[in-house]
Amino acid sequence: MATTPGRLYQFVGSIPSSTEPPMFQHVFDTYQDMPESFLELPGNFGYSELMLFYSKYRGQPSSFAWMTGPGIYFGSIDTTGGAGTDSVTTDTKLMPYPKEEGAKSEVPIAIVLTEFHVLILFPNRLKAMCVLNEQLIYDDTFTERYGKLLGICKDPLRGTIWAYTDQAVFKYRVVREARDVWQMYLDKGEFDLAREYCKDNPANMDKVVTKQAEKYFQDGQFEKSANLYALTQNSFEEVALKFIQVEKPDALKSFLMKKLVGLKPQDKTQMTMIVTWLIEIFLNQLGCLKEQGKDMSEAYDTLQDEFRKFLASTRVKECVSYNRNTFYDLIASHGDVEDMVYFAVLMQDFERVISHYLQHDDYKQALGMLTKQSDIELVYKFSPLLMQYIPSETVDAWVKMTRKLDAKKLIPALVQYDHQKYMAQDNAAIRYLEFCVQTLDNTDQAIHNYLLSLYAKLHPEKLMAYLKLQGEDPDSVHYDLKYGLRLCAEHGHQRACVHIYTTMGLYEEAVDLALKVDVDLAKQNADKPEDDEELRKKLWLKIARHVVEEDKDIRTAMEFLHECDLLKIEDILPFFPDFVTIDHFKDAIITSLQEYNQHIESLKEDMEEATQSAKEIRGEIQSFRNKYAFVKSNDKCSACGFPLLTRNFYLFPCMHRFHTDCLISEVYPHLSSSKKTQVEQLQKQINAREEHHGTSALAAAALSASVGRRDNTGKVELDEIIAAECVYCGEYMIRNVSAPFIRADEYEEAIESWR
């Protein structure tokens, strides 16, 4: 940009970074062959001044001011090309110089440009004008004693303004230049700039936003107005009433939503009121579209989606959860079933949703909702009704839930299954019970009892397979034996009754009933009490008697002798008639007599062997009485190592020898508590008698007969306890193999000995 006293020239171009001086030659060359382009203002006073304002030091200028004859030509600078290819100035205007009434017009000397003001220096005063509203805001007069004003300049780095005369220099400092700029922009209707300059002042910001909201309201842009009103501190009621009066529900809705976002969590009352109002607006709008027949239109779907998103928002969801009954009533009052169901699902009120579907006979939807929710108690509650109408789908849903369900609690639902109605289909109740028993290994007696009852009533062909699968151990079967027996008896399933009798251990009843069905079945059950031969024999006799007396089949009865080794010909002979041909059991009698002869011969051989063994034992006893061993004078005790002959001793056939007291010490730890007590008592008795005998030889001679017998008796008893076998070679040593080297009571002592 370049100026003369009356013209403003603009040269637009780019300067390459590698250009050598003169730098602007490239720009000027483009204008050599072009006609002159300039802005000329009429009138001049022989000179002019062009000032630029830089928002940042060494940055791009943002505005300019040109001091000309008619006034200050001011505008913004746009280097982006928005002002055209031949210009960089925008928003230009000419501000006349300020004049005082009756005063002579003065010619300015110089100017300084700030962001929002132009400082104009006259010969005897300094005036400041706002470039936004062209108003004079400052007037500073200089007296002659300081001399004549010569000029004014601005420090580009610090922003300080200096005015100087031939005698003095004056400093001007700009303080909060933009404090009232918002008001100027507001008056001009430039709301974005007004808000930019009052961000730090909430009161001023509220005024700007209110003014802008009013402007939008006047222009009919109600939704924009509502969004801005919600940001102000204006009365809620007044603003809401404005939109109600103009019948703009969308704008009112926007206003309420904005207000809702601005509420604090503790403002629960206001929040509930606004949410209720918004829901009412949504429902009214949806209702209006329905009345107009637009419930299938895109507008209806869009509005419904917006309503549901609103309900699903965290703040709204939390608010309505505390007052859900109120909102249920509100939605129900509008007859909006779809949104009421959605709201119930949103509140996880699945019981209400499922009840709604069931009331409208939409059983599959009810089942679908039942499987999606996680409250198992609802499954138990609604399954009985679902089993009446969609049993197969209900059982499929149960199977998918696997182990989450307690099958026992589903029995009331299984009972509701109509077996006659769905006879053509696979029995859903039996299918689920079989799944529980076979797949889930369910052991609840109620489940097994009900499955057993269904088999007995509807599928008798599966009854025996189930009973065999359960086994014959009364402790491992999972059904009630008595209940099963009564049930099978009522429906005439005799084979099943036989099986249950056997499982209960009532073999006689099982055989009696089996004889009415099949003799072979009776035979199988007669052999089951394996540990009780007497009972087996009794059961086989029952079968034999039945065959002889009822079936008159003597040949089959005789075959029993080969099938059961417990029966003899004499056992079944009483069952035959008095006049029967012996030919039928001649062979059996001969065989029986031969077996008796063999048994007698076997007994004879056993008697001879026993007699011979007795002779040998008597011979060994006699040889032991005459057996002896030599003891040398230098033989020592096997326990203590001292000479053996110094005290009473024991000599064993294995040639181990012990002093009497040493043997007692060795044997004593291995004895039971009762034997230990007996040994101690016998020792005391023997010691007491020995002391008594030693005090008086005469008394000993007189009582030798009676005392000797008692003394020998005590020693014999002691011998039987301690000398029954060698402590080193006998059973004591064998039992001691697994004993630890250090006993528990010796452990601490052994540890101390090693320290």
Side-chain angles (χ1 to χ4, degrees):
M1 297 178 68
T3 63
T4 65
R7 293 181 179 181
L8 172 63
Y9 295 89
Q10 297 187 48
F11 302 94
V12 181
S14 58
I15 302 174
S17 58
S18 60
T19 301
E20 298 180 355
M23 296 173 54
F24 298 102
Q25 186 65 42
H26 174 73
V27 177
F28 294 143
D29 287 343
T30 59
Y31 288 91
Q32 286 183 353
D33 299 328
M34 295 174 59
E36 289 186 349
S37 176
F38 55 84
L39 172 66
E40 185 174 5
L41 295 179
N44 64 74
F45 38 76
Y47 60 91
S48 69
E49 186 173 12
L50 177 66
M51 299 298 296
L52 302 177
F53 173 74
Y54 298 85
S55 56
K56 292 183 179 179
Y57 181 64
R58 290 185 178 177
Q60 292 287 340
S62 59
S63 60
F64 74 96
W66 177 30
M67 186 181 70
T68 66
I72 304 295
Y73 186 70
F74 170 83
S76 300
I77 295 177
D78 182 5
T79 58
T80 62
T85 58
D86 297 329
S87 177
V88 293
T89 61
T90 60
D91 302 328
T92 57
K93 58 185 176 180
L94 181 64
M95 296 188 300
Y97 297 115
K99 294 182 179 180
E100 296 181 8
E101 294 183 5
K104 183 181 178 182
S105 61
E106 297 179 317
V107 178
I109 301 174
I111 61 171
V112 167
L113 178 63
T114 64
E115 185 175 5
F116 302 107
H117 298 86
V118 176
L119 280 71
I120 307 172
L121 185 66
F122 292 95
N124 60 350
R125 64 183 59 217
L126 176 67
K127 293 183 179 182
M129 292 182 65
C130 178
V131 296
L132 298 178
N133 57 9
E134 302 181 15
Q135 298 293 320
L136 178 65
I137 64 165
Y138 182 75
D139 188 357
D140 189 13
T141 304
F142 292 84
T143 60
E144 294 182 356
R145 65 177 183 147
Y146 294 112
K148 183 181 179 181
L149 284 171
L150 300 177
I152 187 172
C153 62
K154 179 183 176 184
D155 185 342
L157 183 61
R158 299 180 180 274
T160 308
I161 298 171
W162 302 89
Y164 53 92
T165 68
D166 54 357
Q167 299 179 11
V169 176
F170 301 93
K171 177 182 177 183
Y172 292 90
R173 187 163 59 90
V174 181
V175 179
R176 295 180 58 208
E177 182 184 9
R179 62 181 180 274
D180 295 322
V181 169
W182 68 272
Q183 184 67 55
M184 300 175 192
Y185 280 125
L186 180 61
D187 294 339
K188 294 171 64 177
E190 298 182 13
F191 301 108
D192 292 337
L193 291 173
R195 282 194 286 182
E196 180 69 23
Y197 288 100
C198 64
K199 290 188 296 187
D200 300 332
N201 192 320
N204 293 341
M205 177 66 79
D206 187 71
K207 293 178 182 179
V208 173
V209 176
T210 301
K211 190 75 173 178
Q212 188 176 10
E214 291 174 353
K215 180 68 168 57
Y216 281 140
F217 190 88
Q218 293 170 1
D219 294 343
Q221 301 182 38
F222 297 106
E223 290 202 26
K224 289 184 177 181
S225 176
N227 290 330
L228 290 175
Y229 267 127
L231 301 175
T232 67
Q233 300 298 320
N234 291 324
S235 171
F236 175 84
E237 294 80 2
E238 291 180 3
V239 175
L241 189 59
K242 285 179 99 173
F243 293 109
I244 293 173
Q245 289 173 345
V246 295
E247 297 181 356
K248 296 296 179 182
D250 289 331
L252 178 60
K253 188 168 61 178
S254 299
F255 171 70
L256 294 175
M257 283 188 173
K258 278 283 187 179
K259 276 294 184 184
L260 181 63
V261 172
L263 290 176
K264 298 178 181 178
Q266 57 267 28
D267 299 332
K268 297 189 181 297
T269 303
Q270 296 92 322
M271 194 180 299
T272 304
M273 182 192 70
I274 292 177
V275 169
T276 307
W277 198 350
L278 282 167
I279 291 176
E280 178 71 25
I281 293 173
F282 273 114
L283 292 173
N284 282 332
Q285 290 180 318
L286 290 170
C288 290
L289 291 175
K290 280 186 178 180
E291 291 175 359
Q292 297 170 11
K294 297 181 180 179
D295 52 336
M296 301 299 292
S297 65
E298 184 179 352
Y300 183 87
D301 293 338
T302 303
L303 182 61
Q304 190 175 55
D305 289 342
E306 183 184 354
F307 179 41
R308 292 183 176 182
K309 288 179 181 179
F310 169 72
L311 290 176
S313 61
T314 305
R315 174 167 286 198
V316 175
K317 188 176 178 181
E318 182 180 351
C319 175
V320 298
S321 64
Y322 294 111
N323 308 277
R324 61 179 65 187
N325 290 330
T326 302
F327 294 103
Y328 275 129
D329 295 339
L330 179 60
I331 298 174
S333 66
H334 286 264
D336 193 342
V337 177
E338 291 182 10
D339 288 314
M340 188 175 73
V341 171
Y342 175 82
F343 179 71
V345 174
L346 192 65
M347 294 293 101
Q348 296 188 351
D349 193 353
F350 299 108
E351 184 173 359
R352 185 185 293 266
V353 178
I354 296 169
S355 298
H356 167 78
Y357 286 137
L358 293 177
Q359 288 171 4
H360 291 78
D361 297 335
D362 196 349
Y363 302 106
K364 291 188 178 180
Q365 283 283 6
L367 181 61
M369 184 59 63
L370 194 63
T371 54
K372 290 177 182 178
Q373 58 87 36
S374 59
D375 188 358
I376 300 301
E377 293 301 323
L378 293 182
V379 179
Y380 303 138
K381 179 176 180 179
F382 292 107
S383 289
L385 186 59
L386 293 173
M387 278 297 287
Q388 295 180 28
Y389 296 97
I390 50 171
S392 181
E393 293 86 345
T394 302
V395 169
D396 290 340
W398 291 350
V399 170
K400 290 178 181 178
M401 295 180 189
T402 59
R403 301 184 185 275
K404 294 180 182 179
L405 297 176
D406 183 357
K408 189 165 55 177
K409 293 184 179 180
L410 291 173
I411 291 179
L414 293 170
V415 172
Q416 295 295 325
Y417 180 69
D418 190 342
H419 303 280
Q420 298 299 326
K421 181 179 178 181
Y422 299 100
M423 187 177 295
Q425 302 179 8
D426 185 20
N427 192 298
I430 293 179
R431 179 160 64 90
Y432 181 69
L433 292 171
E434 288 176 343
F435 172 76
C436 293
V437 172
Q438 298 171 9
T439 305
L440 301 182
D441 297 326
N442 190 294
T443 58
D444 287 333
Q445 191 177 77
I447 295 296
H448 285 264
N449 285 347
Y450 190 49
L451 179 60
L452 181 63
S453 70
L454 293 180
Y455 280 154
K457 295 174 184 176
L458 304 172
H459 292 280
E461 71 278 2
K462 295 183 178 181
L463 181 59
M464 284 306 301
Y466 168 76
L467 293 176
K468 290 178 181 179
L469 183 65
Q470 290 293 303
E472 297 181 356
D473 184 0
D475 295 328
S476 63
V477 297
H478 302 303
Y479 60 90
D480 188 334
L481 292 169
K482 294 180 180 179
Y483 172 76
L485 181 61
R486 182 173 68 254
L487 196 66
C488 293
E490 288 177 0
H491 292 85
H493 304 308
Q494 292 183 331
R495 285 184 177 272
C497 291
V498 171
H499 179 89
I500 296 174
Y501 272 133
T502 304
T503 305
M504 297 172 71
L506 302 175
Y507 299 106
E508 293 188 39
E509 289 81 353
V511 171
D512 290 340
L513 184 58
L515 289 173
K516 297 178 182 179
V517 180
D518 183 11
V519 174
D520 290 334
L521 179 62
K523 291 179 184 179
Q524 295 173 8
N525 286 276
D527 279 332
K528 288 185 177 177
E530 298 177 354
D531 299 332
D532 192 344
E533 293 187 353
E534 183 178 351
L535 178 58
R536 282 180 59 206
K537 183 176 181 181
K538 183 178 179 180
L539 298 176
W540 277 100
L541 287 174
K542 277 179 177 286
I543 301 172
R545 184 168 189 166
H546 173 82
V547 172
V548 173
E549 295 180 353
E550 300 294 334
D551 299 341
K552 309 298 183 181
D553 191 349
I554 298 175
R555 184 179 301 278
T556 302
M558 296 307 298
E559 291 176 357
F560 289 170
L561 299 177
H562 302 289
E563 294 181 19
C564 180
D565 55 354
L566 299 177
L567 292 182
K568 305 296 181 183
I569 183 62
E570 60 269 26
D571 294 327
I572 62 175
L573 278 176
F575 304 145
F576 295 140
D578 293 337
F579 302 99
V580 64
T581 304
I582 197 170
D583 293 341
H584 293 297
F585 45 88
K586 178 181 177 181
D587 294 339
I589 293 175
I590 294 172
T591 302
S592 179
L593 292 174
Q594 290 175 351
E595 289 178 356
Y596 277 124
N597 287 333
Q598 291 176 359
H599 185 62
I600 291 170
E601 291 297 327
S602 175
L603 289 176
K604 286 181 179 180
E605 292 177 0
D606 291 342
M607 290 175 63
E608 290 177 359
E609 290 179 1
T611 303
Q612 183 63 31
S613 297
K615 288 181 180 180
E616 292 177 358
I617 290 171
R618 282 195 295 271
E620 289 180 2
I621 291 172
Q622 188 63 35
S623 64
F624 268 110
R625 286 178 179 175
N626 298 327
K627 189 173 183 179
Y628 60 90
F630 292 99
V631 178
K632 299 179 182 179
S633 60
N634 59 350
D635 285 343
K636 297 182 180 179
C637 174
S638 298
C640 66
F642 286 96
L644 186 66
L645 298 177
T646 55
R647 301 196 296 277
N648 293 338
F649 63 89
Y650 286 90
L651 178 65
F652 291 94
C654 61
M655 298 309 294
H656 282 119
R657 29 197 185 268
F658 302 92
H659 293 126
T660 301
D661 55 344
C662 292
L663 180 61
I664 293 172
S665 299
E666 291 290 329
V667 174
Y668 189 81
H670 304 285
L671 298 176
S672 62
S673 57
S674 59
K675 290 290 185 181
K676 289 179 181 179
T677 303
Q678 189 176 356
V679 168
E680 292 173 357
Q681 291 176 353
L682 291 173
Q683 280 186 295
K684 290 179 181 179
Q685 291 176 7
I686 294 171
N687 292 335
R689 288 167 186 162
E690 289 179 354
E691 291 176 0
H692 180 69
H693 293 168
T695 56
S696 175
L698 182 61
L703 300 174
S704 60
S706 61
V707 173
R709 284 193 297 272
R710 289 196 300 271
D711 197 22
N712 287 337
T713 301
K715 288 183 178 180
V716 170
E717 292 179 3
L718 185 62
D719 290 346
E720 290 177 352
I721 296 174
I722 66 171
E725 58 182 351
C726 177
V727 70
Y728 285 174
C729 302
E731 194 173 332
Y732 292 130
M733 186 57 66
I734 295 173
R735 288 200 305 265
N736 206 36
V737 168
S738 60
F741 291 109
I742 302 174
R743 296 195 304 272
D745 56 345
E746 299 175 345
Y747 186 77
E748 294 295 334
E749 184 179 350
I751 292 296
E752 291 295 330
S753 66
W754 282 91
R755 291 178 178 174

